[in-house]
Amino acid sequence: MTTPQDIRTIGFIGAGNMPRSIIGGMVRGGYPADRIWASNPSTPKLEQLENDFGIHTTQDNHALVAACDVIILSVKPQLMKEVCADLKTNSPAISDKLVASIAAGLRFAKYYDYLGENTRVVRIMPNTPSLVGEGVSGLCADRKVTTADRDFISQVFDYVGLSIWLENEDEVDVLGAVAGSGPAYFFEFMHGLQQAAEALGFDPERARAMVQQTALGAAKMATDSDLSLIDLRKQVTSKGGSTAKGIEEYQSAALDAISDRAVRAAVARNQEMAKLF
Ligand SMILES: NC(=O)c1ccc[n+]([C@@H]2O[C@H](COP(=O)([O-])OP(=O)(O)OC[C@H]3O[C@@H](n4cnc5c(N)ncnc54)[C@H](OP(=O)(O)O)[C@@H]3O)[C@@H](O)[C@H]2O)c1
């Protein structure tokens, strides 16, 4: 538990899985629960949040805006226009608050369109490992957002992993393609290793256990080390040994080029999807 440096009243509009993880991380990390709000149309998720974390909840988005300094928009992208239009009309004070959104794909221009040109907006791209406190959140602020606002938002998303500031919206698309989609790429690769072990006689349970612990150990070594990823790889690849033979197979299939194509394809799709909303 750490002492939060900046305490503001923060409210999440939409109380789904991602806000639940962020709220859980904040409360466990020492952020005062009575300075956190969540709003949602139906009550079961609100009741759970209240019971588990002791935060304030409401079914009224306007009550939340009135109570909070920082609003995190956490509804599905397709609902954002309707939710923001209602806030702009019935809670005009929102234009003086710091607004952040975790919705995938929606660009700054849309928020200005929905909430007014003067709104201070931060776009946030969290990824699913935030659910287990090991997320990566890409943060991108518009020019009206102050240094103190940025520090506050970093503090919030550091509770569920690593937060990285992004220079512009193109970088949001790239972070989405690497860190947002990345867990799926790692699962695909891990599944391939599991299948290879099974093809050579391992039962699925032991094959999976061996693969997932290897992934965890490799990620931890990479996190703890100052060496480059290539140097770490070389450290476990003796010349003429069995790992070298395996690596030769990956290199002959141009794994680097596959990763490059995969990320570019995902960036292109992020750009296409941004036009849908
Ligand atoms: N989950 C992830 O890993 C992830 C990663 C990156 C970004 N995101 C973004 O996070 C946002 C939320 O995702 P999620 O996974 O938390 O979705 P979710 O579980 O479907 O939650 C959305 C919540 O919004 C509520 N809602 C609907 N209409 C509302 C309104 N008018 N006012 C207030 N709340 C309303 C829904 O309530 P009811 O259930 O009562 O309808 C639901 O609880 C999305 O924009 C998504 O793009 C999610």
Side-chain angles (χ1 to χ4, degrees), residues 14 16-18 40-42 45 61 74-77 83 102-104 126 128:
N17 288 326
M18 190 51 79
N40 203 73
S42 59
K45 290 174 197 157
N61 293 346
S74 313
V75 296
K76 293 276 183 205
V83 168
I102 63 170
T128 42

Side-chain angles (χ1 to χ4, degrees), residues 129-172:
S130 304
L131 306 180
V132 293
E134 295 292 350
V136 172
S137 302
L139 313 176
C140 187
D142 74 12
R143 269 177 271 119
K144 299 181 288 299
V145 171
T146 65
T147 304
D149 291 337
R150 290 167 71 105
D151 291 347
F152 177 77
I153 292 291
S154 303
Q155 176 187 280
V156 169
F157 284 85
D158 284 348
Y159 284 117
V160 285
L162 172 74
S163 58
I164 298 178
W165 280 100
L166 305 171
E167 298 289 326
N168 53 51
E169 296 194 275
D170 288 344
E171 286 195 359
V172 177

Side-chain angles (χ1 to χ4, degrees), residues 7 12 18 27 36 44 48 64-65 76-77 85 89 119 131 148 151 155 175 180 188 204 213 226 234 243 254 272 277:
I7 298 183
F12 294 80
M18 190 51 79
V27 173
I36 306 175
Q48 269 188 336
L64 179 145
V65 172
K76 293 276 183 205
T89 309
T119 319
L131 306 180
D151 291 347
Q155 176 187 280
L175 181 131
E188 182 75 11
Q213 186 61 26
D226 290 331
K234 284 180 183 161
T243 309
E272 273 168 27
F277 303 111

Side-chain angles (χ1 to χ4, degrees), residues 12-21 39-45 58-61 73-80 82-84 86 101-106 111 124-131 180:
F12 294 80
I13 294 188
N17 288 326
M18 190 51 79
R20 184 181 165 79
S21 307
S39 63
N40 203 73
S42 59
T43 54
K45 290 174 197 157
T58 175
Q59 287 175 273
D60 179 0
N61 293 346
L73 299 169
S74 313
V75 296
K76 293 276 183 205
Q78 55 272 30
L79 283 179
M80 196 60 80
E82 177 191 325
V83 168
C84 289
D86 176 47
S101 171
I102 63 170
L106 285 171
Y111 296 102
I124 295 159
M125 170 62 70
N127 71 355
T128 42
S130 304
L131 306 180

Side-chain angles (χ1 to χ4, degrees), residues 243-255:
T243 309
K245 280 285 165 205
I247 288 288
E248 261 175 48
E249 287 300 321
Y250 282 120
Q251 288 176 338
S252 71
L255 192 61

Side-chain angles (χ1 to χ4, degrees), residues 249-267:
E249 287 300 321
Y250 282 120
Q251 288 176 338
S252 71
L255 192 61
D256 284 1
I258 293 172
S259 295
D260 187 70
R261 287 205 305 277
V263 169
R264 284 175 195 276
V267 168

